[in-house]
Amino acid sequence: MIGINGGVTAAKGFKAAGVRCEIKQNGLDLAAIFSTSTCSAAGVFTTNAFKAASVIANIEQLKPGRAQAVIVNSGNANACTGEQGLNDVHSIYDYAGNLLGIPKEHVLNASTGIIGVPLPMDKIKSGVKQAVSLLSESGGESASLAIMTTDTCPKTSAYEFEIGASTVRIGGMCKGSGMICPNMATMLCFITTDANISANLLHKALASGVERSFNSLTVDGDMSTNDSLIALANAQSGCDEIIDNSPEYDIFEQVLSRVCMDLAVACAKDGEGATKYVEVQVINAASYDDAKSAAMTIANSPLVKTAIFGEDPNWGRVLCAAGRSGALVIPEKTSLYFGDVKIVENGEPLNIDADAARKPMLERDLIITVDLGVGDQKATAFTCDFSYEYVKINAEYHT
Amino acid sequence: MIGINGGVTAAKGFKAAGVRCEIKQNGLDLAAIFSTSTCSAAGVFTTNAFKAASVIANIEQLKPGRAQAVIVNSGNANACTGEQGLNDVHSIYDYAGNLLGIPKEHVLNASTGIIGVPLPMDKIKSGVKQAVSLLSESGGESASLAIMTTDTCPKTSAYEFEIGASTVRIGGMCKGSGMICPNMATMLCFITTDANISANLLHKALASGVERSFNSLTVDGDMSTNDSLIALANAQSGCDEIIDNSPEYDIFEQVLSRVCMDLAVACAKDGEGATKYVEVQVINAASYDDAKSAAMTIANSPLVKTAIFGEDPNWGRVLCAAGRSGALVIPEKTSLYFGDVKIVENGEPLNIDADAARKPMLERDLIITVDLGVGDQKATAFTCDFSYEYVKINAEYHT
C-alpha cells in the first residue's frame, strides 16, 4: 500500500465540500460527502446511553446497509434535544436527498459541538445547499476543515493498493481533540473506499480496525454522545467483490485499519492542550484484554499524564496504574521502559541515573513499555499528556 | 453520638505521638499509636497488585487479629523496594516491640511518600525511639500532623456514644490529599476504639464503613500502593462484648461509619489543588452498584471536574459521564440538579437561565444530583474539582 492525498475524496467517485454557514463563530462548519453511485455503508457508534439525535437516526438509516451521502456540521451537537432533534435530522435527510437527487434513506448525518441546543436549521439548510453546489473531487481538504472544533489541524489519511488487477483506494478524515463530550470535542470519522464489498463485511472490517485504533485512544477517558465512525464503499475501482476469509479481505482490512490508526494517532497528537504524544505499549500480558486494560488504565491516569507533562520519569505512577487495572500483574515479573531506557526489571528499580531516565521524556513523542512477563499478548494505547492548557480549555469554555 | 476531640487518642487507653526524624524536608514525619492493652485488630488494604512492603507484612501480621501499636512514617512509601523493604518492616516491628515491651507480632507499620527508595532506617529508628518516649493521651493531634504529605490540614474525627451503661469512643485520623500513588499522596487511616469487639466483627464493621466512605471517594481515580485502613479495639470502655446482629453492633457500625465518612469528606475537601468540594448523589438507580458506578464515573470525569473548577453549569458533561458508566440509564427518565436547581427533567433541558444554573456552582461546596428514575437505590461519591494547581502539584513534583 502507498500513502496518497485526498482524504475522503481519494477514492474514485467521491466528492466533498466544506462550507461556512455561521453555526460556529468562525471557520468552515458544514461538510458534505457524496458518492456518484450508491454505496455499501456501515457505521460504529458511541455506546453512551445518551446518544445524539443523528446517532439514533443513523443507526436506523444504516440497517439496509446502503447510503450515498453524509452531511456533517460542527458547532452544535444536536444532543439532548429530544423529539425536535430527531425531526431536524430527518429534515436534513430529506433536504439533502432532494438537492442531491437521491433517496432520503441514503443520506446520513453527524454533528459535533454544544449540546442541549436545537440545530439552527435555517443555517444548516443554507449550508447544505452551498455544499452541494460546491461538491468536487478535490473537496476532501475543505471537508476535513469544516468538521474541526477544538482541533488545531485537519486530520486525513488515504492509501491505494492492489486487489487483483485493480487499484483500490481507502481514504478518511476525522476530528478528535478531546475524546470528550459534549462541547466541541466529539470524535467523528468518515471513511470512503472504491472497493467492492458488502455492507456486512465492511462493518466487520470496520469493527476490527476500530478496536486497535479509536478504541485504544484516550485523551481524557470521557466518551461523547456523538462519537461516530461511518464508512462508504462504492465499488467504482472495478475490483471483484471482496469476500470473507479471502486474501483480498485481509488486505482490505489491513489498509482500513491503517487509515483508522493514522487518524487515531492524529487525534492523540492533537489532544486538548497536549504537549506530548504518548504510546503505552503493554507486552507479554496473559491476554489481549489484560494488555488493553493495563495500557488504557495507564493512558487514562491523570497522575501519569501530569508526570509526562512535567517530564518527570515517575515510573511508580505507571506501575501503580498497571497494578489497579484488573490485568494479571505479578510485581516480580513486571519490567518497565521509558523509550529505550529500562527503568524497572522484574519489579525492582534499576536505580537509573535521573538524567538518563528523563532523557526520553524530553522528546515530543514518548513510548512507555510495560512488560508484564506473564504471557505473549500485547496492546497499545494512544494518548497525550495532561497540561495546564487542558484544564484551561475545559474550565474556561462556558455553556 | 456526640462529636469529641482527640482523634486516635479519644478512646480510653490509647496514646500517640508525632515526631520529626528528618525523612521529609520539614515537619513532623513519624507517628506512633499505642494501646496500654492488646487490641482486637482489623485492616482494609489497597487491592493494587503493587502493594507496599508494609501492606504485604501487615496483612500477614493481622491474621491472628491482635495488635497493640502502629508505627507510621511520611516521606517514604517503602514501595517497590523488594526484599529490603520487607526486611525493613520486620526490623520496625522488632525495634518498636522491644521499646514498647510488647511482642513484635503486635506491631503494625504504614508508610507514605516517595517510592522505589529504601527506608532511611537510622532515621526511622531514632524517630520510633523519640515517639515512644513521647507517647501521651493527648498525642492524637501531633500524630495526625506527622502522617501528612501534600495534605494542607490534619484530619481527625471522634465520637462518643453509649452501649448499655458504658460510654464508648471511636476516633480516627487519616491523610489523603490525592487518593493517588505513589508520591506523597496515599490514603492512610487509623481508627481506635475502646469498644469490646472481636477482630472478625471489627473487620465486618470496617468493611461496611469503608464502602460508602473511602471507597466512594475519588480525587483523581488513582489508587495507591499503600492505601491502608487499620482499626484497633482495646475493650477499655468496660462495655459488654458487642456481638453480631445485635442493636449494639448496629450502633457501633453506625458510629464507625460516621468516623470513616468524616475523614473521607475531609480528604475530598483537601484534594490536591481543590477549590471546590463536590458530592455526586445518584438516586433512584436500578441497583446500588449502578448508583455507585454512575456517581463514581461522574466524580472521576476530568471534564466534569474542570467544568466545576470553571464554575460552568455544563450539565451535558454530567449526563454524558452517567451515560457511559455502565449503569442502567434511560435518557427519557433521567433528571439532573445542580444544588437545588433542576436543570434537566426526564432527559430534556429546562432552559434554565444561565445565571440561575451557575449560582450553586459559585459556592465552596456543590451537590450534583442525578435522578435515574429507574429504581430506588442511591449512592454518593465524594470528590473535588480539577484545577491548574492539581496539574502543577503533580507535574512539578520531580522524582
Side-chain angles (χ1 to χ4, degrees), chain A residues 233-254:
Chain A
N234 68 6
Q236 292 194 26
S237 65
C239 76
D240 290 339
E241 186 180 344
I242 296 169
I243 56 168
D244 204 359
N245 299 316
S246 66
E248 291 75 23
Y249 174 76
D250 291 344
I251 295 169
F252 179 82
E253 191 194 283
Q254 194 187 329

Side-chain angles (χ1 to χ4, degrees), chain A residues 93-117:
Chain A
Y93 290 160
D94 236 3
Y95 188 77
N98 271 332
L99 283 177
L100 292 163
I102 61 173
K104 64 182 177 185
E105 291 78 12
H106 289 178
V107 180
L108 299 167
N109 174 229
S111 295
T112 173
I114 59 166
I115 81 162
V117 177

Side-chain angles (χ1 to χ4, degrees), chain A residues 48-49 180-183 222-223 301 303 306 312 314 316-317 319-320 323-324 331 358 388 394 396-399, chain B residues 48-50 115 180-181 183 222-223 301 303 306 312 314 316-317 320 323-324 331 358 388 394 396-399:
Chain A
N48 198 303
I180 45 175
C181 83
N183 291 305
D222 268 314
M223 179 203 279
S301 161
L303 278 178
T306 48
D312 176 18
N314 198 323
R317 294 181 180 179
L319 291 187
C320 194
R324 70 179 165 85
R358 187 167 293 118
Y388 299 121
N394 287 296
E396 295 191 356
Y397 177 85
H398 274 243
T399 42
Chain B
N48 198 302
F50 286 91
I115 81 160
I180 45 175
C181 83
N183 292 304
D222 268 314
M223 177 203 280
S301 162
L303 278 177
T306 48
D312 176 18
N314 198 323
R317 295 181 179 180
C320 194
R324 69 179 164 85
R358 187 168 292 119
Y388 299 121
N394 286 295
E396 295 190 356
Y397 177 85
H398 273 243
T399 41

Side-chain angles (χ1 to χ4, degrees), chain A residues 236-297:
Chain A
Q236 292 194 26
S237 65
C239 76
D240 290 339
E241 186 180 344
I242 296 169
I243 56 168
D244 204 359
N245 299 316
S246 66
E248 291 75 23
Y249 174 76
D250 291 344
I251 295 169
F252 179 82
E253 191 194 283
Q254 194 187 329
V255 179
L256 183 66
S257 293
R258 177 65 182 265
V259 171
C260 289
M261 191 70 91
D262 285 355
L263 295 172
V265 168
C267 286
K269 290 193 174 179
D270 195 24
E272 283 177 339
T275 74
K276 308 266 182 197
Y277 165 69
V278 186
E279 282 189 21
V280 180
Q281 302 182 341
V282 173
I283 62 173
N284 297 322
S287 67
Y288 172 72
D289 286 351
D290 271 17
K292 176 105 184 263
S293 166
M296 290 294 279
T297 305

Side-chain angles (χ1 to χ4, degrees), chain B residues 364-385:
Chain B
R364 174 68 173 78
D365 294 359
L366 172 67
I367 295 177
I368 297 175
T369 306
V370 176
D371 182 344
L372 294 179
V374 292
D376 61 1
Q377 295 297 301
K378 63 181 177 180
T380 302
F382 311 97
T383 192
C384 56
D385 62 341

Side-chain angles (χ1 to χ4, degrees), chain B residues 312-383:
Chain B
D312 176 18
N314 198 323
W315 52 271
R317 295 181 179 180
V318 178
L319 291 187
C320 194
R324 69 179 164 85
S325 68
L328 174 63
V329 174
I330 300 173
E332 298 72 33
K333 296 193 174 181
T334 306
S335 299
L336 171 75
Y337 303 75
F338 286 129
D340 294 331
V341 183
K342 191 182 237 183
I343 307 282
V344 175
E345 184 166 27
N346 296 325
E348 301 263 356
L350 295 176
N351 298 315
I352 302 294
D353 170 72
D355 285 341
R358 187 168 292 119
K359 193 155 176 284
M361 312 201 69
L362 305 178
E363 306 294 322
R364 174 68 173 78
D365 294 359
L366 172 67
I367 295 177
I368 297 175
T369 306
V370 176
D371 182 344
L372 294 179
V374 292
D376 61 1
Q377 295 297 301
K378 63 181 177 180
T380 302
F382 311 97
T383 192

Side-chain angles (χ1 to χ4, degrees), chain A residues 7-16 33-42 65-70 102 106 136-137 159 161 163 166-171 191-199 202 230-242 252 256:
Chain A
V8 289
T9 48
K12 206 172 161 187
F14 284 96
K15 298 180 175 183
I33 305 169
F34 176 67
S35 166
T36 56
S37 58
T38 59
C39 304
S40 297
R66 305 298 292 173
Q68 195 167 348
V70 191
I102 61 173
H106 289 178
S136 89
E137 285 169 7
Y159 292 91
F161 57 105
I163 287 191
S166 307
T167 299
V168 178
R169 297 148 208 97
I170 303 180
I191 291 176
T192 56
T193 176
D194 46 24
N196 183 354
I197 187 168
S198 72
L202 181 61
I230 290 170
L232 303 178
N234 68 6
Q236 292 194 26
S237 65
C239 76
D240 290 339
E241 186 180 344
I242 296 169
F252 179 82
L256 183 66

